[in-house]
Amino acid sequence: MLRRFMQHTATNESQLFKNFQANDEQFLSERLVIRDIRRELVSKKRRGTNKDIILALLLRLESERNTEIQDVYRNALEIVVSSTPDDFDI
């Protein structure tokens, strides 16, 4: 069951970034933020899940004081959350 969950998570991550590539100009700033977070996560761990990206966005949002950047983080967070499936019943 864990293997199936991990495969499902990887598929959803791939789908998240495919959706971004389909919308070249729309949400460009958000795409760049998510890409940078994903690169940071991959450099620290083997890979980053959507949950890892959500946590990183929340931490950035809490520490950021610039309202325009906060808006970018909020939009990015909304995109990732809407692309992340609910947890399986454990």
Side-chain angles (χ1 to χ4, degrees):
M1 176 143 169
L2 180 59
R3 177 179 286 189
R4 187 174 66 186
F5 173 75
M6 296 301 287
Q7 289 172 339
H8 187 68
T9 302
T11 301
N12 288 323
E13 288 175 42
S14 300
Q15 187 62 41
L16 173 69
F17 294 105
K18 280 184 185 177
N19 290 342
F20 280 134
Q21 292 171 354
N23 300 319
D24 285 343
E25 293 300 317
Q26 188 177 12
F27 300 113
L28 178 61
S29 297
E30 290 82 354
R31 288 186 355 210
L32 294 174
V33 167
I34 293 170
R35 184 199 64 196
D36 291 344
I37 289 173
R38 185 168 179 253
R39 285 182 180 171
E40 286 176 25
L41 291 169
V42 169
S43 73
K44 294 177 185 176
K45 318 185 328 180
R46 287 207 140 147
R47 59 186 238 160
T49 65
N50 284 4
K51 289 181 182 182
D52 294 327
I53 295 170
I54 290 168
L55 179 58
L57 284 165
L58 287 171
L59 292 171
R60 288 184 181 199
L61 189 56
E62 287 179 348
S63 63
E64 184 58 55
R65 298 294 170 235
N66 182 314
T67 57
E68 290 179 13
I69 296 174
Q70 286 177 337
D71 286 341
V72 171
Y73 290 159
R74 277 190 202 97
N75 290 337
L77 183 60
E78 184 177 336
I79 291 166
V80 177
V81 168
S82 68
S83 300
T84 304
D86 291 336
D87 288 339
F88 293 105
D89 291 329
I90 297 174

